[in-house]
Amino acid sequence: MGENIGGRTALWDALPGYDLIEEVDLPEMHSWFLDATHSVPPWTPLFGWYWIRFCCHGMKVVCDELSIPTCKGWEMRYRDGGSYNAFHIVRDKKEIAERAVKFRQALRPWIDNFDGLWESGKRELLGMYDKLKAVDMENASHVELYRHNYDLMNTYRRMFEIHFLGMYSSYSAWLLLEDLCKERFGMKDQDPEFQDMLRGFNNKVYEMDKSLWDFSQLAVDMGLKDVFVQNKPDDLRAKLEMSEKGREWFRKFMHYLETDEVGGWRMRRMNDLTEPYWLEDPCTPLGVIRNHVQKETADVFGNVHAELSKNREAAVARFLQRVPPPERPFFEGLINLAGKASSYSEEHDLYCELISHALLRRGYLGMGRRLAKSGTIDQPDDIFMLNPDEIDRVLMVPDRHDLRFITRRRRAEWLEWHNRPNPPVITDRSGMEEAVAMDLLPSMDAVAMKIVVGELPEHKPELGADMFGICGCAGEIEGPARVVINYEDLKDVQPGDILVCPGTNPAWTPVYGMVAAVVADRGGTLSHAAIIGREYGVPTIVNTFEGTAKIKTGQRLRIHAAEGAIFILDK
Amino acid sequence: MSTEKRIFWFEELEEKHNDIVGKKCANLGQMVHLGMPVPPGFAISIEMYRRFLDLSGASKEMRIYAEDLGDLKGVGIGTFDEVSRRLQDIIEEKDVPAEVRDPILRYYEELCERLGMPDAAVSVRSAGTESRPGMFETYLNVIGATDLLDKIKKVWASAYTPRAVAFRVNKGFPLIGDELGVAVPKMVNSRSSGVSFTVDPVTGDDTRIILEANWGLGEGVVSGSGSVDGFVVEKETLAIVNRHIGQKTRCVVNREKGAEWVDVPEKMQRIPCLADEEVLEIVKTGITVEKRLGCPQDMEWAVDGDLPFPKNLFWLQTRPAKVQVKKPVSTTDQIIDLLAKRYQ
């Protein structure tokens, strides 16, 4: 950094070193893309600090470990609760060629043994999580809490290093398959025939959704149907405790949450610490189970999935017929690896983000209670307004510090950010298209292109649609719009609604069992919204950029997902 | 007379018509659909060949002759020559019955009309249902109805060249066999022509395209006699990474009656017979077609001396390339190779 850039010296605030300062950051990277998939609604400073510091670190480590030829990782900055990302693109041909040599070696084990390597990554993470869980937050000494702060950081750092290894290797295969299919068979990854080949995989998210459905069946079998139908999720626990059968059912259910390796360690909102995880507050899974009981959901988890998986086998067989025989083993291998992108994309969320975030919440709320008791902050969850360095400074002698001047101001700012959406890109280029062309696409970065930024929609004026996005899962359907920005408003979604949202994450998965279609502001064909759309056979359009801004709840929509077209029928 | 269609314009054909018109004709149709400029022309179906043999009585005569011969396995080359001469004679001596002759001549007339020239020069090329390069005959610069019918008969008879007869006998196939379709494309007035391989047929290197070219007609290259021009082009960069200008002393040209070998004038012997832009045009089409068809191609093309670039390039054939050496590559290696290549 040069001295006195832009004629003034900016001060770091919430995330020292990671706050976006245009005078410094724009000349260096030119374009900063909002990660609307993960950072809408706006993040608290504590979560922002964690994500921006360590997700960014994980990207760099994995781009280095795998020696991704055209990208040395990402840079991330925090601005008004949003994450802005830029890419360290390698532009020198010679350097790209040199990196490619190592890339080939580093990738080989992932092609040969993806499942085995991911399994060992999971085991390593679960081992670290067990140590964190072992800390008794209420009875720990100050120094134990102080150390816990560092153990959390270290676990989270390692989590993101593991996280991106599986992601880059499988997503790269997806991109290669997409390239080859487009070039050789005129088939894009938005085409149903392509998508059919890569869905219907079993994974842990699906298994857990299925378990909740099983518990709904158990409830019916045990004669508890009425308890579920007649009570709100918030009251269910208390009502169940009132009968012998109810207590038995609830004990079994809690046993599952406690003993399944990821089970109850699942955040309600994936990307922040402000909302409880399942074990902390079982209302969320109970609400899902209640929904199944009430609506008598039958086949989402059985037939639909079995059918998708059968369709996949048929689609792959059909495709291989078009491939010259000598190349069939190659394409089979590649489809297999690209298919990992679908299953990994869901499963890693459970083992990486959702558990880590639950443990961060557990740990920092524990420290927050200690700080609140000493009057350092007003209430335990004010700790989410601090960063770990600030916590580090006060945790050993909390009663001698008062950080309320920071937490009160930051909480007010954080609330204000909710009313003021972040711009999709901050750039010194002429606009989004130029920014994408110059500062994103040359990275050829699989994760950037397929999830966080995604491809720009193609506008097809001849269709006369009101808005365009990218096809996540094909299908045509009409229905009333339900605009949902925050997780807590998901409960308003009615069967048959078209969900219009900034993006989805695994916490939102259960709603796919009832909506007619999904329209997301951001995300590529490997974003959560798109993948789950395909897994549940729900027509899905992603990367509309302006869906939640333009569409109002209650408006009737018609969507033609294969074309990425959205029609607002009553404007 | 049957109303069954027995002659097709190339553009009416696709790969699936292989068994109806023979591989070369179906291939020409496929090339039209791939957007490759091919010389206009028509294809005579295999059924027409059968009609000719049946209606003219040749078929019966050949069968009787073959039955008298008995098993030929293990006989000497001399016998193959004799059998070949006899069977070819049976075919060539027959008149072409009206039911066969008339539609052929109607298509020829229409081709001449389309081209705006009476008695247009065409080539008459054999098209078997299986690829047997060089086994059956091709006649170049065929002009007028009489010559055309004569050469078609000769192509049909070429199912019984000594080489074809020997091949079938040695492979244990019936002596009477190899039914032929015929392709009749307009003769390109070839200034230069040649072949291109989208893979090095010797090393199996698929990152380069190899061209060989000579003045005149393609026969001057494929016959493999004498020195020709060679170009090696890198697919990725389209750079001509190797060029060899051979001393082209002989080439094949169109003559009033048929094609023949002639001496190349001295001043043309050591200069390239293709301009670089022509080389690149050939290479670009080669890359596209290889991608579309999904495997390396062995292609023939000709550059017409009467037309300006880039309209002067005509494609005569494309087929999967036979590669001598192919290093065994595991699926993992292929995925790694392609993934690494994506980033280049």
Side-chain angles (χ1 to χ4, degrees):
Chain A
M1 204 200 304
E3 265 177 67
N4 196 18
I5 287 176
R8 76 181 181 94
T9 307
L11 278 178
W12 311 114
D13 185 22
L15 272 54
Y18 295 96
D19 288 317
L20 180 75
I21 296 176
E22 292 187 20
E23 300 92 301
V24 179
D25 293 318
L26 271 184
E28 207 168 87
M29 304 297 285
H30 298 292
S31 300
W32 294 86
F33 299 90
L34 175 68
D35 176 1
T37 305
H38 299 103
S39 65
V40 174
W43 289 339
T44 56
L46 181 63
F47 183 78
W49 187 93
Y50 261 93
W51 180 283
I52 288 201
R53 187 169 176 137
F54 292 122
C55 177
C56 180
H57 161 79
M59 287 287 186
K60 287 173 187 156
V61 166
V62 170
C63 283
D64 185 61
E65 245 178 75
L66 290 180
S67 185
I68 302 292
T70 46
C71 188
K72 289 185 174 177
W74 301 22
E75 207 53 61
M76 296 185 188
R77 297 288 184 269
Y78 185 72
R79 151 90 166 248
D80 293 359
S83 171
Y84 279 90
N85 304 338
F87 310 98
H88 289 297
I89 296 169
V90 183
R91 299 182 195 264
D92 178 60
K93 286 251 176 242
K94 193 161 153 258
E95 195 180 357
I96 293 173
E98 283 164 8
R99 291 177 70 85
V101 175
K102 192 182 153 203
F103 172 74
R104 299 167 64 105
Q105 295 163 2
L107 203 63
R108 179 177 295 275
W110 286 95
I111 295 173
D112 284 337
N113 183 23
F114 184 94
D115 291 333
L117 290 174
W118 169 225
E119 190 59 31
S120 79
K122 273 195 262 192
R123 293 305 128 208
E124 183 185 339
L125 289 175
L126 289 169
M128 294 176 86
Y129 298 151
D130 279 345
K131 287 193 187 125
L132 297 176
K133 288 179 201 168
V135 177
D136 175 350
M137 300 308 297
E138 303 317 313
N139 299 310
S141 65
H142 285 348
V143 71
E144 279 165 343
L145 285 192
Y146 182 89
R147 287 177 185 146
H148 193 61
N149 186 24
Y150 283 86
D151 289 341
L152 286 170
M153 283 185 242
N154 204 35
T155 303
Y156 201 71
R157 172 188 61 75
R158 182 64 190 140
M159 180 278 284
F160 263 125
E161 292 174 1
I162 291 172
H163 175 286
F164 285 115
L165 278 168
M167 194 163 251
Y168 271 99
S169 47
S170 60
Y171 284 26
S172 297
W174 177 289
L175 282 181
L176 173 60
L177 182 65
E178 183 189 2
D179 279 358
L180 293 176
C181 283
K182 193 150 56 180
E183 211 168 73
R184 302 244 324 244
F185 307 101
M187 187 198 282
K188 290 191 295 188
D189 81 334
Q190 296 172 40
D191 291 344
E193 45 184 343
F194 185 98
Q195 297 185 346
D196 278 350
M197 297 199 293
L198 295 149
R199 58 175 170 172
F201 294 100
N202 201 8
N203 70 63
K204 186 71 183 174
V205 177
Y206 165 75
E207 270 175 35
M208 291 184 69
D209 288 345
K210 168 90 168 63
S211 299
L212 296 192
W213 183 80
D214 289 341
F215 275 108
S216 76
Q217 299 308 294
L218 180 67
V220 174
D221 292 346
M222 290 174 73
L224 297 166
K225 185 174 176 184
D226 290 346
V227 184
F228 276 88
V229 174
Q230 288 160 11
N231 293 291
K232 287 192 180 139
D234 292 345
D235 306 328
L236 265 176
R237 182 177 181 171
K239 298 286 179 189
L240 285 166
E241 299 281 6
M242 287 165 68
S243 74
E244 175 76 23
K245 286 272 180 206
R247 275 195 298 279
E248 190 191 333
W249 184 95
F250 190 72
R251 202 168 48 244
K252 282 186 172 155
F253 180 62
M254 286 309 283
H255 180 75
Y256 163 73
L257 288 189
E258 280 157 12
T259 54
D260 185 90
E261 63 185 21
V262 283
W265 296 95
R266 184 167 167 168
M267 290 293 269
R268 196 156 85 178
R269 175 180 174 195
M270 185 168 98
N271 292 297
D272 209 334
L273 310 176
T274 49
E275 292 187 31
Y277 48 95
W278 287 10
L279 256 181
E280 180 188 357
D281 176 9
C283 276
T284 302
L286 286 176
V288 174
I289 292 168
R290 176 179 183 264
N291 207 24
H292 288 322
V293 171
Q294 199 173 18
K295 302 203 169 66
E296 298 178 0
T297 357
D299 56 1
V300 176
F301 302 96
N303 303 341
V304 170
H305 197 266
E307 201 176 303
L308 286 175
S309 131
K310 217 163 63 198
N311 284 350
R312 166 165 51 86
E313 283 162 23
V316 171
R318 259 198 321 277
F319 172 74
L320 289 177
Q321 283 299 311
R322 295 168 67 183
V323 174
E327 292 184 277
R328 282 180 194 162
F330 160 72
F331 270 97
E332 258 186 292
L334 185 61
I335 291 168
N336 185 35
L337 187 60
K340 305 289 180 204
S342 284
S343 48
Y344 183 77
S345 160
E346 296 318 300
E347 188 165 293
H348 85 276
D349 278 335
L350 285 178
Y351 288 92
C352 295
E353 285 97 327
L354 289 167
I355 293 198
S356 301
H357 296 166
L359 288 164
L360 287 180
R361 177 174 163 86
R362 174 181 180 273
Y364 284 106
L365 275 183
M367 295 178 230
R369 284 193 291 276
R370 201 70 60 93
L371 295 186
K373 207 163 131 192
S374 308
T376 319
I377 55 180
D378 292 313
Q379 58 200 40
D381 66 358
D382 276 346
I383 198 165
F384 301 146
M385 302 301 149
L386 300 173
N387 65 53
D389 284 328
E390 289 160 344
I391 297 165
D392 169 278
R393 208 180 77 194
V394 302
L395 201 52
M396 287 301 287
V397 194
D399 47 311
R400 295 300 185 88
H401 294 280
D402 185 351
L403 291 181
R404 289 173 303 177
F405 75 101
I406 298 181
T407 52
R408 287 176 186 171
R409 172 171 62 79
R410 289 208 190 130
R411 184 173 285 280
E413 284 169 355
W414 177 65
L415 290 172
E416 172 57 27
W417 296 334
H418 285 76
N419 307 321
R420 182 157 45 86
N422 270 306
V425 66
I426 295 174
T427 179
D428 58 14
R429 309 290 191 194
S430 70
M432 184 58 140
E433 295 212 352
E434 194 179 304
V436 167
M438 297 183 75
D439 302 323
L440 167 63
L441 293 183
S443 74
M444 303 188 74
D445 187 279
V447 179
M449 283 156 64
K450 285 290 150 195
I451 309 182
V452 174
V453 181
E455 292 138 290
L456 296 181
E458 182 192 343
H459 287 259
K460 301 164 187 161
E462 71 277 9
L463 294 177
D466 294 288
M467 210 179 299
F468 287 94
I470 299 283
C471 174
C473 174
E476 286 179 69
I477 208 141
E478 264 187 50
R482 173 77 52 182
V483 182
V484 177
I485 308 287
N486 297 312
Y487 178 86
E488 54 264 36
D489 299 323
L490 259 193
K491 62 181 184 312
D492 300 330
V493 173
Q494 299 301 314
D497 279 353
I498 294 181
L499 175 67
V500 179
C501 55
T504 65
N505 67 57
W508 292 42
T509 304
V511 87
Y512 273 81
M514 55 194 287
V515 295
V518 173
V519 173
D521 287 351
R522 294 304 288 275
T525 44
L526 283 173
S527 61
H528 179 269
I531 287 181
I532 295 298
R534 294 195 287 275
E535 291 304 323
Y536 283 76
V538 172
T540 301
I541 296 180
V542 293
N543 242 17
T544 62
F545 285 84
E546 49 183 11
T548 55
K550 268 194 160 178
I551 299 168
K552 306 266 170 292
T553 290
Q555 275 180 322
R556 242 190 127 60
L557 304 181
R558 182 158 68 79
I559 80 164
H560 185 347
E563 298 282 0
I566 300 152
F567 304 81
I568 301 175
L569 300 180
D570 46 358
K571 270 169 264 184
Chain B
M1 183 173 143
S2 162
T3 54
E4 190 192 337
K5 190 167 163 68
R6 298 200 183 106
I7 307 188
F8 303 82
W9 296 106
F10 293 150
E11 57 268 32
E12 296 178 272
L13 297 171
E14 287 171 58
E15 200 181 12
K16 64 180 178 194
H17 298 112
N18 191 15
D19 290 341
I20 298 173
V21 291
K23 216 166 184 164
K24 176 171 286 161
C25 300
N27 192 233
L28 282 164
Q30 189 190 16
M31 287 160 71
V32 173
H33 295 294
L34 285 170
M36 301 166 79
V38 307
F42 56 89
I44 301 168
S45 67
I46 289 166
E47 181 56 25
M48 195 65 113
Y49 165 78
R50 292 190 201 114
R51 299 297 298 163
F52 163 74
L53 291 187
D54 288 346
L55 292 171
S56 67
S59 169
K60 194 172 163 193
E61 255 183 78
M62 288 159 68
R63 212 164 45 240
I64 292 166
Y65 173 72
E67 273 162 21
D68 284 350
L69 284 173
D71 189 4
L72 290 176
K73 197 125 200 183
V75 300
I77 286 185
T79 311
F80 291 142
D81 280 338
E82 196 191 311
V83 169
S84 158
R85 202 173 322 123
R86 186 62 220 274
L87 288 170
Q88 289 193 289
D89 281 351
I90 293 176
I91 293 172
E92 288 179 27
E93 276 163 20
K94 297 284 178 290
D95 287 323
V96 183
E99 189 190 319
V100 175
R101 182 186 64 220
D102 292 351
I104 292 177
L105 294 183
R106 266 204 310 281
Y107 269 76
Y108 178 60
E109 270 169 41
E110 199 190 314
L111 179 63
C112 292
E113 266 169 45
R114 286 186 181 193
L115 294 168
M117 49 172 86
D119 287 347
V122 293
S123 60
V124 180
R125 294 170 181 269
S126 55
T129 52
E130 280 173 40
S131 187
R132 305 253 175 93
M135 191 170 286
F136 311 120
E137 290 294 354
T138 280
Y139 293 90
L140 302 175
N141 206 32
V142 177
I143 297 168
T146 316
D147 196 17
L148 175 64
L149 288 175
D150 186 46
K151 294 305 188 314
I152 289 171
K153 251 189 333 186
K154 285 201 148 113
V155 164
W156 284 337
S158 75
Y160 297 94
T161 58
R163 205 177 139 195
V165 167
F167 177 85
R168 287 198 295 274
V169 170
N170 291 333
K171 292 271 175 190
F173 299 150
L175 173 62
I176 306 292
D178 279 323
E179 299 174 313
L180 297 179
V182 183
V184 185
K186 175 202 176 289
M187 198 65 205
V188 178
N189 184 17
S190 300
R191 183 202 76 209
S192 321
S193 47
V195 296
S196 51
F197 278 84
T198 65
V199 56
D200 185 332
V202 181
T203 64
D205 180 352
D206 63 355
T207 63
R208 299 167 164 208
I209 292 191
I210 291 164
L211 271 72
E212 282 189 2
N214 194 357
W215 299 111
L217 305 177
E219 275 64 20
V221 179
V222 292
S223 65
S225 55
S227 177
V228 296
D229 293 345
F231 302 85
V232 179
V233 181
E234 213 172 49
K235 287 180 188 167
E236 195 68 42
T237 58
L238 294 183
I240 300 177
V241 291
N242 196 342
R243 106 180 41 230
H244 165 80
I245 307 306
Q247 184 158 13
K248 303 171 286 295
T249 52
R250 308 267 289 160
C251 72
V252 178
V253 296
N254 285 333
R255 280 289 184 251
E256 188 77 29
K257 279 286 167 193
E260 62 182 63
W261 284 93
V262 296
D263 291 331
V264 176
E266 194 146 4
K267 64 175 170 36
M268 289 170 70
Q269 286 184 5
R270 301 303 297 259
I271 58 169
C273 66
L274 286 180
D276 282 3
E277 59 178 6
E278 290 164 344
V279 170
L280 291 183
E281 187 66 23
I282 291 165
V283 165
K284 283 182 200 158
T285 307
I287 292 171
T288 316
V289 170
E290 183 191 38
K291 275 183 190 158
R292 289 283 300 275
L293 296 178
C295 63
Q297 298 291 302
D298 165 355
M299 315 170 87
E300 289 178 26
W301 39 265
V303 180
D304 193 306
D306 297 337
L307 298 169
F309 178 82
K311 285 189 176 160
N312 56 351
L313 180 64
F314 286 98
W315 291 87
L316 309 176
Q317 175 154 292
T318 187
R319 61 184 171 203
K322 287 211 168 61
V323 179
Q324 306 273 329
V325 187
K326 192 151 174 124
K327 51 179 190 245
V329 182
S330 74
T331 296
T332 301
D333 285 318
Q334 286 182 60
I335 293 176
I336 289 177
D337 280 347
L338 283 166
L339 276 172
K341 220 187 255 175
R342 258 198 90 236
Y343 290 100
Q344 304 284 304

